[in-house]
Amino acid sequence: MCGIVGIVDAGGVSFPLYYALYALQHRGQESAGMSTFDHRPYVHKGKGLVAEVFDEQILQELSGNVGIGHVRYPTTGANLPENIQPFNFVCRDHTLSLAHNGNLVNTDALRSAYEQDGQIFCTSTDSEVIATILAHELRDSGSVEDAVGVAMRKLRGSYSVVLMLDETLYAFRDPLGIKPLCIGRTETGYIVASESVAIDALNGTLLRDVRPGELITVTENGIRSVQIATSDRRAHCMFEYVYFARADSVIDGTLVYDARRKIGEVLARGAPVDADMVAPVPDSGTAYAIGYSTASGTPYLEGLMKNRYMGRTFIMPNQRKRENAVRIKLNPIKKHLENKSVVLIDDSVVRGTTSRRLIDIVRDAGAKEVHLRVGSPPIIAPCYLGVDFPTRTELIANERNTDEVRDLIHADSLYHVPLDRMVEAIGIDIGNLCTACLTGKYPVEVCGECCDCRCIEFMKGSVQTHLDLD
């Protein structure tokens, strides 16, 4: 669930990249990086937030009218300097830079196959595997379109990619469209980014989403598109709408805020409770709580105040850090909570430890009842496609019913939005959403999760059965 951006701008790209990455900071807080090109590559990257990695002097040194950027949330590869993106390579006197959002499920098989052919890998990420495939094919054909076509045949999983080959920007998205990617126009150029908020940060205009399986080429002269692969379905990640994307983003035609507000209305009608107030877990619970308040008539009142200088606890690298950060991040407003029956609204319950700590904080502040309402169905299965749900044992709803989870998190009552109502609120047919973490049904074959695994076929480069490549 990283954030990626690529910009072509006649006025220079380093500062626009900085503003765009700042707008995408919620998608990754471990590291940030940029690569630009001006007759030669310019690169700067490091651990930390965007504002910690870059300053004015560094940005002025990143010369060029084309560039790409990345903020990292690790799902594959350790927290090591060599795993910070973008990755940069030299291939037959050409410079290739790549940034990737997503997660492959056949990384090990692909890496092993290329290592047997003598390829050396410098990182432990799946993103380098993508770059290796592209570079290998570019050496043979010299065609980016051919290289991306081969990559789409071999890669299994989620990937939205921005690629800079010398002074030309490319972007492509996996044929199922699992991870978001959109195109915008700015006053003096073009931008490709994970979310439309990056376009907004540059006062640009959202043109459209990159189509699943599409490769776009961006130069100062405009955008050229070619459909590399097609699929008979989509698998847009439902967790983007529920939690990960910013509420003011438009993803595949849906305003995230509206989806969350509608889910809040469903929560109010599905499990009404006589309460004094409804309060969000900020910030991702806010739109849900407003919808709940509107539908139920229960007054909306903040019960938890967020420290705006704290990052997202969900995307911190380990559970201990997530738990320790909760109290610093969210402080109860005791005068709002004392002797009140509270409906607390959150986007999801993953491991359950954060929910329990939040409910305990609200109770300790004087609330007499705490009813938890959740904007997603119970999460019961791991995600292999880019969200940090790695094992079933970590998921509190796995093999537990709602009453058991309610008791474990110390809530007076617990209600999740039903799957069909969540899908209806998002406005995308369930056949075109990835709901694997809710159902255990994955849109791609995953080792250990399917009975007819064909990893060796994919490793050799055969086309996935649901795809047609032009």
Side-chain angles (χ1 to χ4, degrees):
M1 305 295 286
C2 303
I4 61 173
V5 59
I7 297 177
V8 173
D9 195 299
V13 295
S14 61
F15 283 89
L17 282 170
Y18 177 84
Y19 301 138
L21 288 178
Y22 210 101
L24 297 174
Q25 185 72 86
H26 60 286
R27 298 190 68 86
Q29 300 174 353
E30 182 184 273
S31 63
M34 290 184 202
S35 296
T36 65
F37 189 88
D38 185 11
H39 302 292
R40 70 175 182 85
Y42 294 83
V43 181
H44 184 82
K45 50 187 180 178
K47 290 185 179 182
L49 303 177
V50 174
E52 297 169 333
V53 174
F54 300 98
D55 59 29
E56 185 174 358
Q57 180 177 346
I58 291 169
L59 292 173
Q60 288 175 342
E61 294 171 354
L62 291 167
S63 177
N65 294 340
V66 58
I68 64 174
H70 187 270
V71 287
R72 185 168 192 249
Y73 157 62
T75 54
T76 298
N79 181 8
L80 298 170
E82 57 264 32
N83 288 335
I84 300 173
Q85 297 185 41
F87 293 140
N88 300 276
F89 308 88
V90 176
C91 176
R92 291 193 175 181
D93 298 325
H94 295 285
T95 299
L96 184 151
S97 300
L98 177 141
H100 164 224
N101 171 34
N103 205 62
L104 304 181
V105 298
N106 62 337
T107 301
D108 292 342
L110 288 168
R111 182 186 293 265
S112 176
Y114 278 92
E115 285 177 338
Q116 289 177 16
D117 286 341
Q119 178 66 46
I120 297 174
F121 289 88
C122 300
T123 77
S124 56
T125 72
D126 54 351
S127 305
E128 189 183 12
V129 172
I130 299 175
T132 296
I133 295 172
L134 294 172
H136 186 273
E137 298 306 320
L138 282 169
R139 283 195 297 266
D140 291 342
S141 70
S143 165
V144 173
E145 291 183 17
D146 290 346
V148 172
V150 171
M152 287 189 179
R153 288 182 174 91
K154 293 189 175 186
L155 301 176
R156 188 164 83 253
S158 65
Y159 51 92
S160 287
V161 174
V162 287
L163 171 71
M164 186 172 66
L165 184 62
D166 296 335
E167 69 278 359
T168 304
L169 174 66
Y170 300 89
F172 59 93
R173 192 178 182 193
D174 71 73
L176 294 176
I178 299 172
K179 297 303 176 195
L181 194 63
C182 59
I183 312 167
R185 176 95 189 238
T186 63
E187 185 176 349
T188 53
Y190 298 91
I191 173 175
V192 182
S194 293
E195 293 183 36
S196 62
V197 290
I199 301 171
D200 297 337
L202 303 184
N203 197 29
T205 301
L206 174 64
L207 297 177
R208 63 176 177 87
D209 295 284
V210 176
R211 290 185 287 269
E214 180 184 24
L215 168 68
I216 65 168
T217 304
V218 187
T219 67
E220 291 183 2
N221 297 323
I223 297 174
R224 185 172 66 88
S225 166
V226 59
Q227 193 69 34
I228 301 293
T230 58
S231 173
D232 58 3
R233 59 191 172 93
R234 303 286 186 261
H236 303 313
C237 174
M238 76 89 195
F239 212 63
E240 291 282 352
Y241 303 94
V242 166
Y243 171 79
F244 219 92
R246 258 176 51 172
D248 49 337
S249 284
V250 177
I251 296 181
D252 290 301
T254 296
L255 176 61
V256 173
Y257 187 98
D258 284 349
R260 293 176 184 172
R261 177 182 52 80
K262 291 175 183 177
I263 290 173
E265 295 172 357
V266 172
L267 291 172
R269 299 186 183 106
V273 60
D274 185 14
D276 299 306
M277 60 180 284
V278 54
V281 175
D283 284 320
S284 53
T286 300
Y288 297 105
I290 290 172
Y292 187 102
S293 177
T294 301
S296 67
T298 306
Y300 174 98
L301 192 63
E302 290 187 273
L304 295 165
M305 187 58 60
K306 182 179 180 181
N307 181 338
R308 302 297 172 184
Y309 297 95
M310 279 289 293
R312 284 185 158 183
T313 54
F314 172 78
I315 61 176
M316 288 185 173
N318 60 61
Q319 183 61 26
R320 187 171 184 177
K321 287 186 177 181
R322 282 188 287 267
E323 292 184 21
N324 291 339
V326 170
R327 185 58 190 254
I328 301 172
K329 177 182 177 181
L330 296 170
N331 191 50
I333 306 175
K334 292 183 179 181
K335 287 192 176 294
H336 288 182
L337 296 170
E338 288 175 346
N339 298 314
K340 298 289 180 62
S341 175
V342 180
V343 176
L344 192 64
I345 311 283
D346 206 354
D347 55 87
S348 58
V349 177
V350 182
R351 297 164 178 87
T353 51
T354 297
S355 298
R356 184 179 66 248
R357 286 176 70 97
L358 285 174
I359 290 169
D360 288 347
I361 287 170
V362 172
R363 284 195 192 281
D364 291 344
K368 61 182 180 182
E369 293 179 355
V370 184
H371 303 273
L372 186 64
R373 299 295 179 263
V374 186
S376 69
I379 295 170
I380 63 169
C383 176
Y384 300 97
L385 299 172
V387 184
D388 191 15
F389 306 153
T391 64
R392 282 178 169 78
T393 56
E394 290 183 274
L395 303 174
I396 192 171
N398 179 50
E399 297 185 350
R400 292 188 180 96
N401 61 38
T402 300
D403 290 342
E404 290 171 326
V405 174
R406 177 202 63 203
D407 293 342
L408 285 170
I409 63 175
H410 304 164
D412 288 286
S413 69
L414 171 64
Y415 179 73
H416 293 264
V417 66
L419 176 61
D420 60 338
R421 299 304 306 278
M422 180 199 74
V423 171
E424 181 182 339
I426 292 173
I428 296 175
D429 183 85
I430 192 168
N432 292 321
L433 278 176
C434 177
T435 59
C437 60
L438 312 176
T439 63
K441 298 177 181 178
Y442 296 89
V444 298
E445 293 169 340
V446 179
C447 281
E449 295 287 350
C450 57
C451 58
D452 182 26
C453 188
R454 292 174 290 156
C455 294
I456 299 301
E457 280 186 43
F458 284 99
M459 181 187 73
K460 292 178 180 177
S462 67
V463 181
Q464 298 186 39
T465 55
H466 61 277
L467 301 182
D468 293 317
L469 275 81
D470 296 335

